[in-house]
Amino acid sequence: MTGGVVPTLRYRDAHKAIEFLVAAFGFKVHSLFEDDDGHVLHAELTHGDGMVMLGDNRESEWGGLVTSPSEAGKPTGGSYVIVDDPFAHAERARQAGAEIVREPREEDYGGAGYTARDPEGYLWDFGSYDPWAADSG
């Protein structure tokens, strides 16, 4: 496969973020690399055919270029994840402690969706609308 887009995120506590993303949103840990002190240098989490990469927000060449919403004061964007049933997914996320900032609802452009905020302030949109599919209803 060539191409593809993989969001990259930085967290103050990547281990805690990974636990949350797995429990609340259904991600699976694909790989995890730590330094000798146990800090997350690089992690890959999958959800269906999608993936995000993340790590601890530490001083490094990359770390000096980015920040997290908790440090910036608010997010500058979000990630969209396709799920079969956004209503059930939102309930799972809520039960795991996710802050639902936009309740699940049918969308004018097709499908349904909702928005949640993770503990460090990243926005996550989950919806059944699939822009790759011919019929996303």
Side-chain angles (χ1 to χ4, degrees), residues 40-125:
V40 177
L41 296 172
H42 176 82
E44 299 167 357
L45 278 63
T46 60
H47 196 289
D49 291 334
M51 178 183 287
V52 296
M53 296 187 298
L54 61 93
D56 281 312
N57 197 14
R58 301 184 49 200
E59 289 301 318
S60 67
E61 183 178 10
W62 175 248
L65 298 172
V66 298
T67 191
S68 66
S70 59
E71 294 172 348
K74 70 183 213 176
T76 59
S79 296
Y80 180 75
V81 181
I82 300 167
V83 296
D84 290 330
D85 183 348
F87 296 92
H89 193 275
E91 189 54 34
R92 170 194 176 145
R94 190 183 326 273
Q95 293 299 317
E99 177 189 0
I100 308 300
V101 296
R102 190 177 62 85
E103 290 293 330
R105 64 178 179 221
E106 297 295 325
E107 303 290 2
D108 293 339
Y109 51 84
Y114 78 98
T115 304
R117 184 184 332 267
D118 75 19
E120 290 201 27
Y122 284 103
L123 292 177
W124 295 87
D125 288 297

Side-chain angles (χ1 to χ4, degrees), residues 15 32-41 56 58:
H15 281 294
L32 176 68
F33 302 94
E34 299 173 316
D35 66 13
D36 293 337
D37 296 323
H39 295 104
V40 177
L41 296 172
D56 281 312
R58 301 184 49 200

